[in-house]
Amino acid sequence: PVTPAPPPAPPNIPAPMEFATVDTSAQLRRALTSAAPGEIVKLYLPPGRTYELSGEELRVDSSRDVSLFSTGDGATIDAMGQSRAFLVRHAGSALRLRHIHIQRGIARNAVGGAILAEENSTIELTGCTIAHCASISWANNREACGGALFVSGYSNASLTDCVLHNATARTYGPDAMALGGTVLGRDHALVTMANVTISHGSVHSELNRAAGAAWVMEGFSTIVFTDSRITYANAWARLSALGGATAHY
């Protein structure tokens, strides 16, 4: 399916004074890995630039607070179908994206195709598109969850004016469930969406069960879905498919 147009973007404006400009993928990775624990990192990604990750996710941990900001039509993080885009973990760690688009993220025999947020961390997305991302498992007893976002362990995710398009969770091994094709919240996660479109999400389990092409919330997790929409959702499983769009456990 064709990726929907991203939300309307503001005109190009200079980067705020406190933001450092990064022009290449190497500069972006170096800025994150060199930050001290607990440091606040603010980076400007010029609009129209694509940052290819080449097989290794970007990590935000040790209570670092990272803001990536763009203007106009935004900048793109391309995981190239080789890794997820971001791993965010540890209490106090935060990832804040504004007009930053993520595409072709994948978690192989793992969860969170675009972003995995765990251990009481925070993610905030504004004016972003996440497209063509997946959690895929071929292993026995290894679930696939959160093709776009996996949020767990008291972590918080806030999305405003975003599009989540063509995310999937798929399993091919026995005793392996596919849950939350687009978003999975687990263990007291909080997910808030305002003016968000979830389109063409899917879950597929070749040999087991599947649920929630748009989202699954489980383990006392909560989603707040305001002025938002689900435009297409598909769940298929060999044994049983539950909650074609959403499921709560």
Side-chain angles (χ1 to χ4, degrees):
V2 176
T3 304
N12 288 329
I13 58 175
M17 291 287 292
E18 67 272 21
F19 282 72
T21 299
V22 291
D23 292 311
T24 68
S25 302
Q27 289 176 353
L28 173 59
R29 188 177 298 279
R30 188 161 53 248
L32 298 185
T33 57
S34 64
E39 184 174 349
I40 297 175
V41 179
K42 296 183 177 182
L43 303 174
Y44 176 69
L45 283 58
R49 298 285 177 88
T50 297
Y51 299 78
E52 296 181 340
L53 300 187
S54 302
E56 185 179 357
E57 67 197 6
L58 299 170
R59 296 196 174 195
V60 178
D61 53 17
S62 301
S63 299
R64 297 176 175 93
D65 190 318
V66 174
S67 295
L68 305 183
F69 173 76
S70 190
T71 53
D73 290 332
T76 300
I77 306 291
D78 187 354
M80 303 173 66
Q82 299 177 18
S83 70
R84 74 169 63 89
F86 291 97
L87 169 62
V88 187
R89 62 178 8 159
H90 303 148
S93 297
L95 174 66
R96 310 177 200 278
L97 304 181
R98 189 173 186 88
H99 302 298
I100 304 295
H101 311 303
I102 298 172
Q103 65 184 26
R104 296 197 295 169
I106 188 169
R108 292 186 173 90
N109 292 323
V111 298
I115 303 174
L116 168 57
E118 59 184 6
E119 300 175 17
N120 200 21
S121 59
T122 297
I123 59 174
E124 296 178 359
L125 282 64
T126 303
C128 301
T129 297
I130 298 178
H132 312 304
C133 294
S135 167
I136 301 178
S137 171
W138 293 269
N140 186 26
N141 287 317
R142 184 66 64 88
E143 63 187 358
C145 301
L149 305 176
F150 185 94
V151 186
S152 72
Y154 293 88
S155 296
N156 297 321
S158 174
L159 291 78
T160 304
D161 302 332
C162 292
V163 173
L164 308 179
H165 175 70
N166 194 33
T168 188
R170 307 175 72 87
T171 62
Y172 295 95
D175 301 321
M177 292 183 65
L179 300 172
T182 304
V183 178
L184 191 290
R186 174 173 290 170
D187 185 17
H188 300 86
L190 173 62
V191 179
T192 304
M193 297 187 181
N195 191 30
V196 171
T197 297
I198 301 175
S199 66
H200 291 84
S202 66
V203 282
H204 178 105
S205 182
E206 192 68 25
L207 298 174
N208 204 273
R209 296 175 173 84
W215 71 70
V216 166
M217 294 289 126
E218 59 182 29
F220 302 99
S221 296
T222 301
I223 187 165
V224 181
F225 196 63
T226 305
D227 297 327
S228 299
R229 60 217 60 86
I230 300 168
T231 60
Y232 176 85
N234 180 263
W236 185 93
R238 180 73 62 185
L239 297 184
S240 66
L242 306 173
T246 70
H248 296 250
Y249 295 99

